[in-house]
Amino acid sequence: MRKIFFLSVIISAVGLSAFIIRKGGDEPVPIPPSQQRIGNAAKGYEYLINGDYVRSGIPYNVYLFGAGADSNNFLKRTGLNAKVSHEFTAVKAANGETVVAPNCMNCHAQVFEGKLVMGLGNSLVDFTKSKKFNQANIELLEKLLQLQSPRQYQASYEFIRASKAITQYLYAPVKGVNVADKLAYSLVAHRDPLSFTWSDKASLNISAELIPTDTPPWWLLKKKNAMFYNGFGRGDFGRFLMASNLLTVNDTSESAQVDAHMPDVLAYIYSLEAPKYPKPINQTLAAKGKVLFEERCSGCHGTYGDKGAYPNYLIPATLIGTDSALYKANYSEPQFIDWFNNSANIGSFIK
């Protein structure tokens, strides 16, 4: 079985023997580590919360009119961003207009017990059709800006253009699930892998079917030799972290400016640790659960604690036997894989 059809699951040597004897399938494949660029965690945090890695969005005044000023300011930001939700950032567009653009905290931070937990996968995110930001409202915004504020329309153009093309594919059936896989597929379908030039006509066949996912916590990344569950995302992790830039990027010179900050962003992500659960825990049940986890689960999911291990294996789907619909929905498309492998600006899925 080819490597790209393996699911990325971490499994221990003890667990492997049981799987192989029972299933008689392919051998697991180790994922080797890759050299990562060194960065500054403090600078990475600053760029995450205030940086212009997405440089087009909704005009600042339009955002405040629709969403209202944020009263929480979980990130303790100053200036224009003090009034903007942690999920967005006020940035300067190329023509000098201020726009509000989505940032990484849309998916990679969540409010829990009244506090923002950076790096926690957002299980409260809403990609359903009922949310305010949908296809109809995007088209309405475009018409209003064209008529009333040409400069603001120019500043919002890249964001509106991409949103009109891909939003139809990003509706989730329920709240709390993530559409990042389909977002990535839809964006690369409209981008040249070498120049990042946008094309209104998709170069890949975009299926209407969407199979959502959960967003893994950032603090797990430091253990991994590949970013994604199926072994994709090897090599320079920073190149994959900047993929959100594909939403509005104009050319590779802009992407190079964003990429220069990615070692710092990765350093910040590596600095994160799982927060301690703040509520009471039934220690009797926890002790029983620990035994069950180590006996039944650690073979695939590794171990925790001071001596925790994460062996980084690719396990063939024939050994796992779980539903392959998620993987087949996006990652079995050869053109999608080739796009990343052929892009010198993002990085290889398979090395």
Side-chain angles (χ1 to χ4, degrees):
M1 181 179 293
R2 294 173 60 195
K3 288 184 182 179
I4 61 172
F5 288 100
F6 290 159
L7 296 178
S8 174
V9 179
I10 308 308
I11 192 165
S12 69
V14 174
L16 284 178
S17 60
F19 279 123
I20 294 171
I21 292 171
R22 184 168 64 252
K23 298 285 187 177
D26 299 306
E27 293 287 336
V29 178
I31 303 175
S34 302
Q35 185 70 37
Q36 303 300 328
R37 290 177 284 170
I38 304 300
N40 181 290
K43 291 181 179 179
Y45 174 75
E46 176 64 24
Y47 190 68
L48 270 175
I49 68 170
N50 288 313
D52 59 351
Y53 41 94
V54 178
R55 299 183 180 181
S56 179
I58 302 171
Y60 186 78
N61 62 320
V62 175
Y63 170 86
L64 290 182
F65 178 79
D70 180 64
S71 60
N72 295 305
N73 196 10
F74 288 115
L75 297 173
K76 307 301 181 186
R77 296 189 292 191
T78 59
L80 296 178
N81 277 318
K83 296 182 178 181
V84 176
S85 167
H86 64 275
E87 300 170 314
F88 299 89
T89 304
V91 299
K92 290 288 185 182
N95 67 352
E97 290 287 326
T98 300
V99 295
V100 176
N103 64 32
C104 293
M105 279 67 77
N106 255 279
C107 300
H108 295 284
Q110 181 177 314
V111 177
F112 181 76
E113 295 290 297
K115 296 181 180 180
L116 183 68
V117 182
M118 289 290 287
L120 179 64
N122 187 3
S123 63
L124 304 177
V125 68
D126 183 6
F127 286 104
T128 62
K129 280 189 176 182
S130 62
K131 67 176 184 176
K132 292 181 180 179
F133 192 73
N134 53 40
Q135 192 82 15
N137 287 345
I138 294 168
E139 293 175 357
L140 177 60
L141 173 64
E142 180 181 38
K143 292 177 181 178
L144 289 174
L145 293 179
Q146 286 174 330
L147 290 173
Q148 298 182 8
S149 182
R151 276 186 58 82
Q152 286 188 325
Y153 173 66
Q154 182 186 33
S156 301
Y157 173 73
E158 289 86 359
F159 178 77
I160 291 174
R161 177 184 63 184
S163 298
K164 285 173 58 181
I166 67 175
T167 300
Q168 61 183 309
Y169 303 110
L170 303 180
Y171 293 129
V174 295
K175 296 180 181 180
V177 293
N178 197 278
V179 300
D181 288 351
K182 198 55 170 281
L183 172 62
Y185 190 97
S186 302
L187 286 176
V188 304
H190 289 275
R191 295 280 184 189
D192 180 89
L194 296 179
S195 67
F196 286 172
T197 302
W198 178 270
S199 172
D200 289 331
K201 182 179 180 180
S203 61
L204 306 179
N205 179 36
I206 306 176
S207 169
E209 182 182 35
L210 183 146
I211 300 179
T213 64
D214 291 326
T215 304
W218 267 347
W219 47 80
L220 295 181
L221 183 58
K222 64 170 68 73
K223 300 179 179 182
K224 296 183 176 181
N225 294 342
M227 294 187 72
F228 305 113
Y229 72 96
N230 49 20
F232 289 172
R234 306 184 214 174
D236 188 342
F237 287 177
R239 293 292 176 88
F240 286 93
L241 291 173
M242 63 173 284
S244 59
N245 177 246
L246 291 174
L247 181 65
T248 62
V249 66
N250 278 308
D251 52 39
T252 54
S253 62
E254 179 184 328
S255 67
Q257 294 172 14
V258 174
D259 178 63
H261 295 275
M262 289 302 106
D264 296 332
V265 172
L266 182 62
Y268 171 70
I269 292 174
Y270 277 173
S271 75
L272 293 174
E273 298 291 343
K276 185 177 180 180
Y277 186 66
K279 294 186 177 183
I281 296 174
N282 185 318
Q283 296 299 331
T284 301
L285 289 179
K288 292 180 179 179
K290 182 176 185 294
V291 173
L292 285 173
F293 181 86
E294 291 177 350
E295 289 181 351
R296 304 288 183 87
C297 309
S298 63
C300 289
H301 296 279
T303 56
Y304 293 85
D306 294 337
K307 297 182 180 180
Y310 202 70
N312 281 291
Y313 279 105
L314 285 173
I315 309 303
T318 52
L319 298 185
I320 299 170
T322 51
D323 192 345
S324 61
L326 172 62
Y327 170 74
K328 291 180 178 179
N330 296 309
Y331 296 113
S332 62
E333 189 74 36
Q335 294 90 339
F336 179 59
I337 299 168
D338 290 343
W339 191 98
F340 279 89
N341 286 343
N342 292 332
S343 175
N345 305 293
I346 292 291
S348 298
F349 264 139
I350 305 297
K351 290 183 73 69

